[in-house]
């Protein structure tokens, strides 16, 4: 009994050893005892004042608080802190960069990479070259800025702000403020009228003027800026440089109808020649090469279709045309864009993040609306392949047949020569490049005699959806229905000629407008009166070069990069009605690293966008010497730039790039242009410089010259 009393809760004296060794109580009584002890401890804590707490109490409470805070910490907090940390470091680096001496960044770069060669403009200035011929830049598709002059209420506050190009800053702000509505409003404003190919009612989007129209496409992403800066090094300035900006969405002739762009270009060239006493050097890029080809015919043609300059206008005003990355014979890539609103990169992105492009963060069908918008841009139809099967090949033949795709591996500087991969040469199976579209990998490989095709052109289309809420996103596929889709699938393989029929079948409104502005054939008789119409002027196979025997024409383009040439497609059914029924089959692969087939795309040599055949054929053969397409014998040169990626990250996009846009910063290309602008000729540059098989492929094309 005595032992039991000394074990009571209120006794503060030290228990005896015999008490410490007593076994613990169990059962209901032990539980009640523990609860009483906890209650007493709680009461004692309440009675204590703050000053009575010792250091141990503080330490314990702090530990509890830290545990609670740690428990409440989330992934969002971690991400925010990480982003804030990165931004703070970046801003600190920018602050240092802008406050340090101007020579310091160059010193650091030189210490890492070695001595950097002088830019071409500085180098040639040291050699004594000076500005001589006025220079005219003709930008291509997409790269020129567009700004708002009139719009609907959803674009309030964006007057004369860029809706395309530049920083896109105002557009980003508007997207953030109204994320579920403004993107569709932007699509509406960037689209043209589906019937006229001109402005929709109440909307006016116009090209930005001046050199800033296309010097940078977006912040930090140069287009013409590097070339302009190098020309400035030998004395060029805005008075003897002219950016012939135009609305690249419009058909070529409609740029004159709506904006008088062709007249403005003609007047500016005449002014530059009159004030300098020298002919101009014209430098078109990408689709700009086709636009300027159209311009030369327009300038000489009589009104009302032409500018009335007469047959000798080009001879009087143009010294040389230096075409960069010119898709003279069209692009297979544009076929995929018009057919399914995708190409290699989009198809890959769809594979990596399925569903994102079909229904993105703004809650609408991205590719469907992209298709709806781009099919109103009549300029895209100027890029449809020209020349039919004679140029691009049949079901079982193409001029690039036998191409070794192991040469298309991106290689670092100063490694193995062109034509060798790291693992040596590999046997490549036959690729049917003439089949621009094949539905299924097996049909891409079978001989044409083993393919049973059913003609689709006369199939009656059948609209079969009850819900019409997505009609604007679906576009013409919405009207085709199951019968129309099945008819396309049953045809199985398409050459360039049948692709034209395919586009007329799936996009009749677009192709109807296009038929009024473009043609894709080969002229039998160029003396035929019909070829005086402007629809033929941008097709080099259906028009003549001007009579200007002293003029020179260059084809300057990159090689050594895998470039889209043909596609394997699949039918892509979906539960919802707002989907595009055809997709590039990214699962189709050649099976080895050096295969020409990757992700459903057959590749060939080029600059990643324009195949070598399209960029080089006319100067290599079609215009070479006196031909029916070049009756005055204008001298032509092929200048290829073998792609080499940047050696380090500090090189940015590289000074030896052959990629379609990055080539605008290629030092060798810039040096060639400066030498010609300073008075040189193609002969002074050394004539042709060729790395590809363009001459071999051109000889395989049996074209009447």
């Amino acid at each position: 009994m005595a032992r039991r009393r000394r074990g009571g809760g209120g006794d503060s004296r030290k228990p005896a050893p015999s008490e410490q060794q007593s076994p613990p109580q169990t059962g209901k009584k032990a539980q009640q005892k523990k609860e009483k002890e906890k209650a007493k401890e709680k009461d004692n804590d309440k009675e204590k004042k703050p000053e009575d707490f010792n250091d141990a109490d503080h330490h314990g409470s702090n530990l509890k608080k830290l545990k609670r805070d740690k428990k409440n910490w989330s992934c969002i907090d971690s991400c925010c802190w990480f982003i804030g940390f990165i931004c703070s470091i970046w801003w600190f680096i920018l602050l240092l960069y802008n406050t340090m001496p101007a020579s310091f960044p160059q010193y650091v770069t030189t210490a890492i990479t070695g001595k950097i060669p002088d830019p071409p403009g500085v180098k040639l200035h040291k050699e004594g070259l000076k500005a001589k011929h006025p220079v005219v830049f003709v930008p291509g598709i997409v790269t020129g800025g567009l700004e708002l002059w009139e719009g609907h209420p959803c674009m309030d506050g964006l007057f004369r702000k860029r809706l395309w190009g530049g920083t896109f800053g105002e557009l980003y702000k508007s997207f953030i403020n109204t994320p579920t509505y403004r993107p569709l409003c932007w699509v509406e404003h960037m689209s043209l009228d589906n019937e006229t190919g001109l402005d929709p009612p109440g909307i006016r989007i116009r090209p930005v003027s001046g050199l800033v129209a296309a010097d940078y496409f977006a912040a930090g992403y140069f287009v013409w800026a590097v070339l302009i800066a190098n020309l400035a090094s030998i004395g060029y300035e805005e008075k003897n440089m002219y950016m012939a900006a135009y609305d690249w969405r419009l058909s070529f002739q409609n740029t004159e109808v709506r904006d008088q762009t062709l007249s403005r270009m003609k007047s500016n060239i005449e002014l530059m020649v009159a004030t300098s006493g020298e002919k101009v050097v014209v430098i078109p890029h990408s689709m700009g090469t086709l636009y300027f080809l159209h311009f030369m015919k327009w300038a000489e043609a009589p009104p009302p279709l032409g500018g009335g300059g007469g047959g000798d206008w080009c001879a009087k005003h143009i010294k040389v045309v230096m075409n960069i990355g010119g898709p003279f014979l069209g692009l297979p890539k544009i076929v995929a864009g018009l057919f399914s609103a995708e190409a290699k990169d989009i198809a890959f992105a769809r594979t990596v993040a399925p569903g994102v492009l079909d229904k993105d963060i703004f809650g609408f069908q991205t590719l469907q609306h992209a298709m709806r918008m781009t099919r109103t841009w009549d300029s895209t139809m100027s890029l449809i392949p020209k020349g039919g099967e004679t140029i691009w090949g049949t079901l079982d033949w193409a001029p690039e047949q036998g191409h070794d795709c192991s040469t298309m591996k991106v290689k670092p500087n100063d490694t193995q020569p062109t034509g060798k991969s790291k693992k040596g040469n590999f046997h490549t199976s036959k690729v049917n490049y003439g089949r621009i579209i094949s539905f299924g990998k097996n049909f891409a490989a079978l001989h044409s005699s083993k393919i049973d095709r059913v003609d689709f052109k006369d199939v009656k289309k059948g609209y079969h959806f009850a819900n019409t809420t997505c009609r604007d996103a679906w576009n013409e596929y919405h009207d085709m229905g199951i019968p129309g889709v099945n008819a396309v699938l049953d045809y199985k393989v398409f050459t360039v000629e049948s692709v034209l029929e395919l586009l007329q079948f799936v996009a009749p409104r677009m192709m109807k407008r296009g038929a009024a502005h473009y043609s894709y054939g080969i002229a039998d008789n160029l003396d035929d009166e019909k070829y005086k119409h402007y629809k033929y002027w941008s097709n080099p196979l259906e028009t003549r070069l001007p009579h200007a025997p002293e003029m020179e024409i260059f084809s300057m383009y990159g090689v050594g990069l895998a470039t889209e040439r043909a596609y394997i497609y699949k039918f892509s059914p979906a539960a919802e009605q707002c989907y595009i029924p055809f997709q590039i089959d990214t699962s189709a692969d050649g099976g080895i690293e050096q295969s020409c087939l990757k992700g459903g795309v057959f590749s060939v040599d080029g600059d990643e966008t324009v195949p070598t055949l399209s960029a080089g054929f006319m100067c290599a053969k079609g215009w070479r010497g006196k031909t029916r397409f070049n009756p005055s014998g204008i001298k032509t040169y092929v200048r290829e730039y073998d792609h080499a990626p940047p050696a380090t990250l500090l090189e940015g996009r590289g000074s030896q790039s052959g990629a379609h846009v990055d080539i605008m910063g290629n030092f060798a290309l810039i040096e060639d242009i400066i030498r010609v602008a300073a008075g040189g000729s193609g002969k002074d540059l050394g004539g042709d410089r060729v790395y590809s098989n363009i001459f071999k492929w051109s000889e395989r094309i049996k074209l009447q010259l």
Side-chain angles (χ1 to χ4, degrees), residues 331-352 357-358 366-372 374-375 436-439 477 503 564 566-572 579-587 599-601:
L331 299 176
K333 187 174 185 176
I334 206 68
V335 172
L338 294 174
F339 183 54
S340 62
E342 59 182 344
K344 179 174 66 176
D345 296 337
I346 299 296
F348 175 76
R350 177 183 251 157
T351 302
V352 173
L357 292 174
D358 295 311
T366 308
L367 289 184
Q368 287 85 327
H369 283 283
M371 174 181 285
R372 169 194 167 198
T374 56
R375 281 189 179 180
I436 300 294
I437 290 178
S438 302
F439 279 96
Y477 283 126
L503 292 176
E564 297 169 51
Y567 303 88
I568 293 178
Y569 268 85
K570 65 179 180 179
F571 174 57
S572 178
Y579 75 103
I580 299 171
F582 309 115
Q583 292 181 7
I584 294 174
D585 185 1
T586 55
S587 66
V601 179

Side-chain angles (χ1 to χ4, degrees), residues 333-551:
K333 187 174 185 176
I334 206 68
V335 172
L338 294 174
F339 183 54
S340 62
E342 59 182 344
K344 179 174 66 176
D345 296 337
I346 299 296
F348 175 76
R350 177 183 251 157
T351 302
V352 173
V356 172
L357 292 174
D358 295 311
K359 183 159 286 204
D360 69 0
I361 59 174
F362 298 117
F364 67 94
Q365 294 77 20
T366 308
L367 289 184
Q368 287 85 327
H369 283 283
M371 174 181 285
R372 169 194 167 198
M373 178 175 64
T374 56
R375 281 189 179 180
T376 68
W377 297 347
D378 289 351
S379 61
T380 58
M381 287 179 281
S382 71
L383 299 171
I384 293 175
K386 305 172 180 68
E389 294 181 356
T390 300
I391 299 294
W392 294 96
T394 64
L395 290 177
D396 298 312
W397 171 86
E400 306 102 320
Q401 187 172 332
H403 172 63
D404 182 3
C405 291
S406 66
T407 63
M408 297 301 99
K409 307 304 291 181
V410 177
K411 56 187 182 302
N413 294 335
D414 302 323
T415 59
Q416 65 276 1
T418 303
K420 300 285 185 180
S421 68
K422 290 182 179 180
K423 297 182 180 180
N425 289 323
F426 282 77
H427 171 72
T428 53
S429 59
K430 179 181 177 183
V431 178
N432 296 314
Y433 285 120
R435 305 178 188 187
I436 300 294
I437 290 178
S438 302
F439 279 96
K441 183 179 176 181
N442 55 329
F443 291 121
L446 281 175
H447 191 273
S448 60
S449 62
K450 298 180 180 179
I451 302 175
D452 184 21
R453 298 193 292 171
V454 178
D455 197 358
F456 61 89
K457 294 187 289 293
D458 297 326
V459 171
K460 186 176 181 181
K461 300 176 184 178
Y463 172 71
H464 65 289
F465 291 110
N467 186 353
T468 61
T469 57
C470 296
R471 186 173 180 83
D472 60 339
W474 178 275
N475 210 318
E476 284 124 329
Y477 283 126
H478 191 255
D479 299 320
M480 285 177 55
I482 295 294
V485 170
N486 287 338
V488 172
L489 296 172
D490 289 340
Y491 201 69
K492 300 180 179 64
V493 289
F494 297 81
T495 64
V496 163
E497 292 180 1
S498 52
V499 156
L500 283 174
E501 297 171 342
L502 173 64
L503 292 176
Q504 290 166 358
F505 185 75
V506 302
R509 285 181 292 177
M510 178 188 76
M511 295 302 288
K512 181 180 179 181
R513 292 193 318 274
H517 292 277
Y518 306 107
S519 181
Y520 310 103
I522 300 174
D524 294 324
N525 179 14
L526 287 168
D527 293 323
D528 193 319
E529 285 293 315
K530 74 175 185 179
Y531 293 111
K532 294 181 179 180
H533 193 275
Y534 59 77
K535 67 182 288 185
Y536 300 102
W537 291 349
S538 62
N539 182 355
L541 300 174
E542 293 184 300
T543 191
R544 292 189 179 104
L545 290 177
H547 183 78
E550 295 181 1
M551 194 168 84

